[in-house]
Amino acid sequence: RKEVEQDPGPFNVPEGATVAFNCTYSNSASQSFFWYRQDCRKEPKLLMSVYSSGNEDGRFTAQLNRASQYISLLIRDSKLSDSATYLCVLDTGRRALTFGSGTRLQVQP
Amino acid sequence: NAGVTQTPKFQVLKTGQSMTLQCAQDMNHEYMSWYRQDPGMGLRLIHYSVGAGITDQGEVPNGYNVSRSTTEDFPLRLLSAAPSQTSVYFCASSPHAGASYNEQFFGPGTRLTVL
């Protein structure tokens, strides 16, 4: 079983829609959680950290459910510029990050 | 600041050739790492370094060597290229090793094809 599982998508949504991605993880020792964004043929960039209490950054909301071992990302009022691959990332305390394979989002006009 | 830079951007090798992928950062970061990204598999850690003179293996180290003689540079050496090493290689750095809240900053990547 992969340490981090994501639905690869693609999620095709119209502009203005709300879309949510989930990510499940198998290592209960995971300490920190992140969402990274990767545009086509570019490097990953940090979108936001995910805190136990949940956190929001503008149109983006991240949630963590330790009991069920999943994290989520909600994007409200989708923009064309949100089209990208969203990577679920964990820090299990082994001095390295563990990346999911990503969920592709395509926002359509 | 240039951030994290990688050279070359593209490279084609023949099986058995060796080469070095260069990575440099100008942010005085302690921690540097190399990942490879293959379709459908996410990024996988090859090697990492928590400071000058210190390196360690990641998830997929076979066929690769690294060294860290300075804080700024972290080259990745392919010893004898194989088609299975065809991939996109990303170098990353972050301020401190072991601090789980640290953001990792990635270079633009090197696209390597081994024929």
Side-chain angles (χ1 to χ4, degrees):
Chain A
R1 182 183 171 188
K2 288 183 181 178
E3 276 200 83
V4 182
E5 303 246 22
Q6 293 186 254
D7 182 340
F11 284 59
N12 295 304
V13 303
E15 272 187 290
T18 295
V19 62
F21 312 133
N22 279 346
C23 160
T24 58
Y25 61 93
S26 60
N27 189 338
S28 59
S30 300
Q31 299 173 354
S32 302
F33 306 86
F34 310 90
W35 285 102
Y36 275 69
R37 170 193 169 129
Q38 186 173 26
D39 293 305
C40 187
R41 302 178 76 84
K42 299 282 192 181
E43 71 272 23
K45 292 184 180 177
L46 179 66
L47 177 67
M48 60 196 302
S49 302
V50 186
Y51 303 122
S52 296
S53 54
N55 49 299
E56 192 172 301
D57 183 1
R59 298 181 293 108
F60 299 84
T61 301
Q63 298 275 358
L64 166 63
N65 185 319
R66 285 191 185 271
S68 300
Q69 294 187 199
Y70 76 84
I71 68 173
S72 63
L73 178 67
L74 181 80
I75 305 175
R76 290 181 298 277
D77 189 21
S78 299
K79 311 289 185 193
L80 293 175
S81 57
D82 294 333
S83 297
T85 297
Y86 291 85
L87 306 175
C88 173
V89 183
L90 280 55
D91 183 341
T92 58
R94 294 176 297 187
R95 291 184 161 177
L97 299 180
T98 300
F99 286 78
S101 53
T103 297
R104 192 155 70 90
L105 171 66
Q106 185 66 48
V107 181
Q108 294 162 339
Chain B
N1 285 355
V4 180
T5 57
Q6 291 183 238
T7 56
K9 285 188 167 49
F10 301 94
Q11 183 69 50
V12 179
L13 292 178
K14 294 181 180 176
T15 297
Q17 287 185 314
S18 64
M19 79 158 294
T20 299
L21 308 186
Q22 301 291 344
C23 173
Q25 52 91 10
D26 61 359
M27 298 174 282
N28 201 32
H29 285 174
E30 284 184 358
Y31 182 90
M32 296 186 74
S33 54
W34 276 102
Y35 293 88
R36 61 177 287 174
Q37 186 173 35
D38 301 296
M41 297 196 71
L43 280 82
R44 291 182 293 167
L45 184 69
I46 305 171
H47 285 285
Y48 65 93
S49 168
V50 299
I54 307 169
T55 64
D56 208 344
Q57 295 182 350
E59 181 186 354
V60 288
N62 292 342
Y64 307 96
N65 273 354
V66 291
S67 59
R68 185 99 179 265
S69 56
T70 67
T71 300
E72 295 78 19
D73 300 297
F74 191 45
L76 176 73
R77 182 163 179 82
L78 277 70
L79 308 172
S80 176
S84 61
Q85 294 179 304
T86 294
S87 188
V88 181
Y89 291 84
F90 288 103
C91 178
S93 73
S94 65
H96 303 291
S100 61
Y101 52 82
N102 279 176
E103 175 179 357
Q104 290 219 11
F105 296 84
F106 286 83
T110 294
R111 297 182 180 278
L112 175 69
T113 301
V114 183
L115 303 175

